[in-house]
Amino acid sequence: MDLTYDSELESFREQVRAFIAENWPREGDGAVQKFRQLAIDSGYLYRHFPKQYGGSEQDAHPLKAQIIREEFGRARAPGEPLGIGPSMLAPTLLERGTEWQKEKFIPRTLTGELIWCQGYSEPGSGSDLASLRTKGDLDGDEWVINGQKVWTSGAHLADYMFCLVRTEPDAPKHKGISYLLIDMKQPGVEVRPLRTMTGTADFNEVFLTDVRTPRDWIVGDRGEGWLVSRTTLKHERNSIGGARRTEESLNALARLAKKTTRNGRPAIEDPAVRQRLAQIEGYVQAHKYSGFRQLTKDAKGESVGSLQLMMKLFSTNIQHDVSRLSMDLIGADGMLSAGSAHLGTPARDSQSWIGAYMYSLGIAVAGGTANIQRNVIAERGLGLPRDAAATRSSK
Amino acid sequence: MNFDLTDEQRMLQETVGQLAEKQCPVTEIQKRLESEEHNAALWKALSDLGVPGLAIPVEHGGAGLEVLDLAVVAETLGYHATPGPYLGHVLAAHAISLGGNEEQKKRWLPGLATGERIGTIAFAETGSAWDPEQWVLSGEGPLTGTKEFVPSADIADLIVVGLRGGQLGVVEKGAAGLAVDAVDCADLTRRVHHVQFEDTAREILPLGAATSTAVRDVGLSLLAADALGGSQRLLDMCVEYAKTREQFGVTIGSFQGLKHQLANMAVDVEPNRGLYWFAAYAQDHVPHEAERISAIAKAHITDRYMQIGRDSVEAHGGIGFTWECDVQIWFKRAMFDRAFLGSPSEHRERAVQLAPWAS
Ligand SMILES: Cc1cc2nc3c(=O)[nH]c(=O)nc-3n(C[C@H](O)[C@H](O)[C@H](O)COP(=O)(O)OP(=O)(O)OC[C@H]3O[C@@H](n4cnc5c(N)ncnc54)[C@H](O)[C@@H]3O)c2cc1C
């Protein structure tokens, strides 16, 4: 084990810093896009994607990756966009896509030019995703798709949807599903916004009526969609489980504790607040080093074992703790809406903390609820028997 | 030992509950959520039942009942998420009953008792300063300054204002220099406002300084009661949903994971009912325990309410995170109950300072 930053890594850090200093911030149209392209060309972003598909094709190096994240974060320079396309679809295509699919979709997805949404959940199929009923029939060279998706984040902004569709109605539940790519900008795709409890509409219902997509816009074979979707879900867990975000949350929480007061003193001086911050830090540090372990194993092409299964629940639990403490710190402002502006604690702070307070619940449900995570940990991680009902219904 | 509600109190809960359900079912609440208009018909119907004057002395037109009666009604209104000025109103009436002189009581209480006039309280100052000891707004002469998070200030005829030294003053609607600004608050069933005074006339309640902590404590026990009612409703909603929503070919309530979560929620509801009863009862009958127990009840029950709100979102899955799902209404009432009159940690701190075991 070696976690010290040797001189080579320190000079790498200097190099990254110099790159950022030279290129960010910049002005004009498409500044972010241009910066990202430069960063990719210099080997700082999408290190594990081949050059051919718009990546920078670098050897996996967890510490270099960490240094890049640190330095980009420090300078608030745009890193890899957080969207569902770069974090979920692109890795899935890399693993399961055909050559032309990779070439057509990955590069522009990585730069954030193509926006994707994930069409998995349906009104009757959430935790039991494999029961989904949206159907696809082959009509000559095209799939004709009919059904309804729900909770589709960002569908109102998306160019394309990666979608699970039942194409083999006679096959067993999990074997009748295909993974199709759909152009969202066509007749028959109707996106209706759904408001979240925060008051804004970030997710949608998507009605698909005789929607068409070319026969070869399928990832994996017919009936293999469930397996392909597991690749994507793995990537979703990876990205949601990112240790970076929990570390940032803790830092922001500590800043909040400096700005707010408790018993007439800055809250950060209150022993109870300090204890709770330090308690959260225990989890955050564990999260960070678990991230290192994951990266190292990934680099070696090995599995990190059951740890992988735990990361989503682990990180959403941290967000719950952060949320609860933030609510204590903002005091009376805890009565404000997620989108409010108010005096007291600086306006943006309170409102964004309340937004985060609510969003920590959305994140806990999205991508598989906490209970489903627990089932996965218990069954796949600990080897306990499968839930009886789930076993019956998968037949 | 007879630690139970009376038949009259049960009747009161039932009558108010039926009215709330009939006049303002949750479908109606959802519909009106974004309208700022006061539901005058609902307040009138509650007034016809005598709700605004429950604890106002009989000689001033009220029913002469006790804080526990106010609390059982608060529980019922919390269960139904009934919109309106109840909380601020009964606290203002209480402040005048305890702190006013005979002439003031004669002048103000009868109108408050019938509900024709609406009262509210303005306690908080900038920086979550809810506690009478923290008030700095001077009542020496006309008022100049700000109060925050004042419920129903837009429709209130009387505002009982907390002043330096724990004093209480009354400002009437339309007073010169009084400005009311809506606050973008989470709970849309109990909207709050910022109130500004600029050389605004006020009338001091002579016994105010001796009364303000008692008014706060009554407020704390009413918030605890509201929170208990709301928690019960969230639990009921989750149980109902668990019995109807199917995944994997069975109702989700048959999964032991969820079943245990709902059982845990129940354990955070029913055992707290007695706690809020006692906190409210103590206000009239066990004065030496009233302050401490209401601090504990408010801190504990509103904190549990908030957590039950969070758990209820998760128990509903994706739909639980939506605006259209009723859970959000109670979730945001929990935000109100938890923050209004001070957050749980502040009350816990005070409760410890007063605790016999801490000295
Ligand atoms: C903010 C947000 C964004 C989302 N974005 C997307 C998106 O972009 N694309 C997309 O396809 N989907 C998206 N979703 C949907 C999400 O994946 C589903 O909501 C989630 O999988 C749960 O499904 P459900 O809502 O049908 O809940 P249900 O499956 O009905 O679950 C209800 C409750 O039952 C429990 N439960 C269910 N089965 C079991 C079991 N076997 N054991 C114990 N408990 C169980 C759950 O834990 C939950 O508490 C999003 C959701 C949210 C909240």
Side-chain angles (χ1 to χ4, degrees):
Chain A
M1 183 169 305
D2 182 10
L3 269 163
T4 58
Y5 292 98
D6 57 23
S7 57
E8 187 207 322
L9 281 169
E10 284 306 339
S11 69
F12 179 74
R13 186 189 293 279
E14 290 310 313
Q15 209 180 304
V16 178
R17 275 193 191 165
F19 167 80
I20 296 171
E22 196 172 316
N23 295 294
W24 189 258
R26 61 197 297 128
E27 275 157 26
D29 278 356
V32 171
Q33 221 97 301
K34 275 184 204 137
F35 175 79
R36 279 207 183 103
Q37 195 54 56
L38 279 173
I40 292 169
D41 295 343
S42 311
Y44 297 141
L45 297 181
Y46 297 117
R47 295 163 52 83
H48 55 294
F49 279 92
K51 286 212 165 95
Q52 182 188 2
Y53 309 131
S56 60
E57 204 170 332
Q58 302 290 308
D59 288 339
H61 197 312
L63 293 180
K64 279 190 180 168
Q66 176 66 14
I67 286 170
I68 293 166
R69 275 195 296 270
E70 282 172 16
E71 294 305 321
F72 274 59
R74 203 191 313 272
R76 299 188 179 280
E80 297 174 8
L82 285 175
I84 213 159
S87 64
M88 291 178 64
L89 177 81
T92 301
L93 281 182
L94 194 60
E95 242 177 274
R96 302 298 310 257
T98 63
E99 198 47 44
W100 77 262
Q101 288 171 344
K102 293 182 195 180
E103 275 164 22
K104 179 175 170 70
F105 295 116
I106 295 179
R108 287 191 300 152
T109 299
L110 295 187
T111 57
E113 194 186 330
L114 293 186
I115 308 288
W116 292 83
C117 64
Q118 177 197 45
Y120 287 8
S121 307
E122 297 182 4
S125 308
S127 297
D128 182 14
L129 184 58
S131 67
L132 61 90
R133 298 218 301 255
T134 293
K135 68 179 171 79
D137 297 306
L138 209 48
D139 175 24
D141 272 345
E142 288 182 326
W143 293 101
V144 181
I145 300 148
N146 283 286
Q148 183 192 347
K149 296 292 173 180
V150 74
W151 322 130
T152 323
S153 304
H156 53 305
L157 306 170
D159 302 300
Y160 298 104
M161 172 190 270
F162 51 97
C163 188
L164 292 181
V165 177
R166 188 159 302 283
T167 54
E168 326 298 317
D170 300 326
K173 195 171 163 183
H174 292 82
K175 302 223 162 101
I177 297 169
S178 295
Y179 189 108
L180 301 180
L181 307 178
I182 296 175
D183 187 343
M184 291 290 281
K185 312 280 185 217
Q186 62 169 306
V189 177
E190 192 197 340
V191 178
R192 286 190 208 157
L194 286 170
R195 265 172 105 189
T196 69
M197 67 187 298
T198 65
T200 54
D202 332 69
F203 55 18
N204 308 272
E205 296 176 282
V206 181
F207 295 87
L208 304 167
T209 312
D210 290 332
V211 164
R212 291 182 170 261
T213 207
R215 185 188 186 125
D216 61 351
W217 285 33
I218 182 172
V219 183
D221 287 334
R222 285 180 69 146
E224 258 194 355
W226 183 257
L227 284 177
V228 176
S229 78
R230 298 296 94 182
T231 340
T232 314
L233 270 187
K234 186 180 88 194
H235 293 294
E236 178 173 40
R237 289 195 185 129
N238 257 332
S239 66
I240 293 178
R244 196 165 25 138
R245 209 181 307 170
T246 54
E247 203 171 350
E248 276 164 13
S249 303
L250 176 65
N251 290 337
L253 193 61
R255 286 196 296 275
L256 180 66
K258 285 180 190 152
K259 273 189 289 196
T260 50
T261 57
R262 171 110 21 134
N263 302 318
R265 311 271 320 141
I268 191 85
E269 292 174 18
D270 182 291
V273 171
R274 293 160 82 90
Q275 281 288 326
R276 282 175 72 186
L277 283 167
Q279 225 167 41
I280 294 172
E281 184 169 16
Y283 290 105
V284 168
Q285 294 286 359
H287 197 203
K288 178 172 168 182
Y289 293 106
S290 299
F292 279 27
R293 280 178 68 195
Q294 257 179 311
L295 274 165
T296 309
K297 286 289 190 193
D298 277 357
K300 293 184 189 160
E302 293 167 11
S303 156
V304 72
S306 61
L307 179 66
Q308 170 73 40
L309 308 172
M310 300 175 186
M311 283 297 106
K312 193 205 168 196
L313 188 60
F314 193 81
S315 75
T316 52
N317 283 346
I318 297 175
Q319 296 300 352
H320 287 314
D321 285 347
V322 168
S323 290
R324 280 188 288 253
L325 180 51
S326 73
M327 209 59 166
D328 278 355
L329 292 172
I330 64 177
D333 277 3
M335 293 168 76
L336 298 177
S337 87
S340 63
H342 169 59
L343 13 109
T345 320
R348 260 181 298 124
D349 247 19
S350 299
Q351 84 187 54
S352 62
W353 282 107
I354 288 166
Y357 185 79
M358 294 177 187
Y359 256 98
S360 64
L361 295 164
I363 294 165
V365 171
T369 67
N371 280 352
I372 295 305
Q373 305 298 325
R374 290 185 191 101
N375 282 349
V376 168
I377 293 164
E379 292 165 11
R380 303 223 317 264
L382 306 179
L384 290 165
R386 282 196 70 195
D387 196 275
T391 312
R392 267 198 311 279
S393 84
S394 66
K395 299 215 170 101
Chain B
M1 162 77 81
N2 176 20
F3 188 64
D4 201 357
L5 300 183
T6 62
D7 289 342
E8 288 77 13
Q9 285 162 336
R10 284 183 207 293
M11 271 281 263
L12 180 61
Q13 284 197 310
E14 207 172 297
T15 318
V16 172
Q18 279 166 359
L19 183 140
E21 190 51 47
K22 186 163 145 259
Q23 290 268 331
C24 199
V26 66
T27 45
E28 183 69 17
I29 296 175
Q30 275 280 10
K31 231 187 291 167
R32 284 173 166 268
L33 220 41
E34 278 162 288
S35 142
E36 282 176 34
E37 202 187 321
H38 167 54
N39 188 339
L42 176 63
W43 182 246
K44 174 75 171 61
L46 286 167
S47 300
D48 290 344
L49 289 182
V51 165
L54 281 179
I56 292 175
V58 177
E59 67 264 35
H60 298 300
L65 297 177
E66 302 185 345
V67 176
L68 181 55
D69 301 284
L70 292 178
V72 299
V73 170
E75 183 204 328
T76 307
L77 299 177
Y79 184 86
H80 294 278
T82 309
Y86 177 75
L87 178 69
H89 179 86
V90 298
L91 291 177
H94 214 71
I96 293 169
S97 298
L98 297 179
N101 60 31
E102 282 311 308
E103 187 277 323
Q104 288 170 329
K105 291 191 219 176
K106 262 197 205 115
R107 188 150 39 97
W108 285 322
L109 289 178
L112 293 176
T114 59
E116 277 154 59
R117 302 190 81 197
I118 292 173
T120 190
I121 54 157
F123 279 12
E125 293 182 10
T126 308
S128 307
W130 294 96
D131 206 80
E133 280 178 20
Q134 299 171 311
W135 297 337
V136 296
L137 180 63
S138 166
E140 290 291 297
L143 309 182
T144 295
T146 307
K147 285 284 181 176
E148 299 187 343
F149 301 106
V150 181
S152 308
D154 55 338
I155 52 166
D157 301 289
L158 293 180
I159 306 178
V160 174
V161 185
L163 302 168
R164 186 185 298 166
Q167 298 235 42
L168 297 175
V170 174
V171 171
E172 297 205 52
K173 188 183 204 145
L178 169 67
V180 174
D181 296 316
V183 168
D184 185 4
C185 47
D187 180 4
L188 298 176
T189 64
R190 288 172 298 180
R191 288 171 185 266
V192 289
H193 306 76
H194 290 333
V195 174
Q196 291 199 42
F197 309 105
E198 175 80 51
D199 218 14
T200 302
R202 92 290 178 256
E203 216 176 296
I204 296 292
L205 298 177
L207 298 177
T211 310
S212 47
T213 57
V215 175
R216 176 205 58 199
D217 294 343
V218 171
L220 297 181
S221 48
L222 298 185
L223 288 163
D226 183 272
L228 192 282
S231 302
Q232 178 72 59
R233 180 59 171 268
L234 284 170
L235 174 63
D236 290 354
M237 283 166 57
C238 290
V239 169
E240 192 50 39
Y241 192 67
K243 286 180 185 165
T244 43
R245 169 75 174 170
E246 287 186 15
Q247 287 290 276
F248 303 100
V250 295
T251 55
I252 56 174
S254 53
F255 297 120
Q256 198 170 49
L258 189 63
K259 213 186 281 187
H260 284 182
Q261 282 154 355
L262 299 186
N264 282 341
M265 259 190 226
V267 175
D268 267 341
V269 180
E270 198 53 40
N272 291 340
R273 199 178 298 277
L275 175 57
Y276 102 68
W277 285 356
F278 182 72
Y281 175 81
Q283 305 302 320
D284 288 300
H285 299 281
V286 198
H288 67 284
E289 288 197 52
E291 178 173 3
R292 216 174 87 75
I293 196 66
S294 50
I296 288 180
K298 143 86 182 183
H300 185 66
I301 302 177
T302 64
D303 210 21
R304 293 297 83 207
Y305 187 13
M306 197 67 255
Q307 186 57 43
I308 289 169
R310 294 181 67 86
D311 294 343
S312 300
V313 172
E314 284 203 62
H316 280 73
I319 188 111
F321 191 58
T322 63
W323 185 273
E324 77 186 72
C325 178
D326 298 336
V327 168
Q328 66 110 350
I329 295 171
W330 278 267
F331 186 97
K332 290 165 185 174
R333 282 184 70 104
M335 289 170 69
F336 179 103
D337 286 352
R338 192 180 174 289
F340 194 71
L341 294 183
S343 63
S345 56
E346 296 163 62
H347 293 296
R348 288 186 180 127
E349 179 60 34
R350 203 160 43 81
V352 172
Q353 283 168 18
L354 295 168
W357 48 260
S359 57

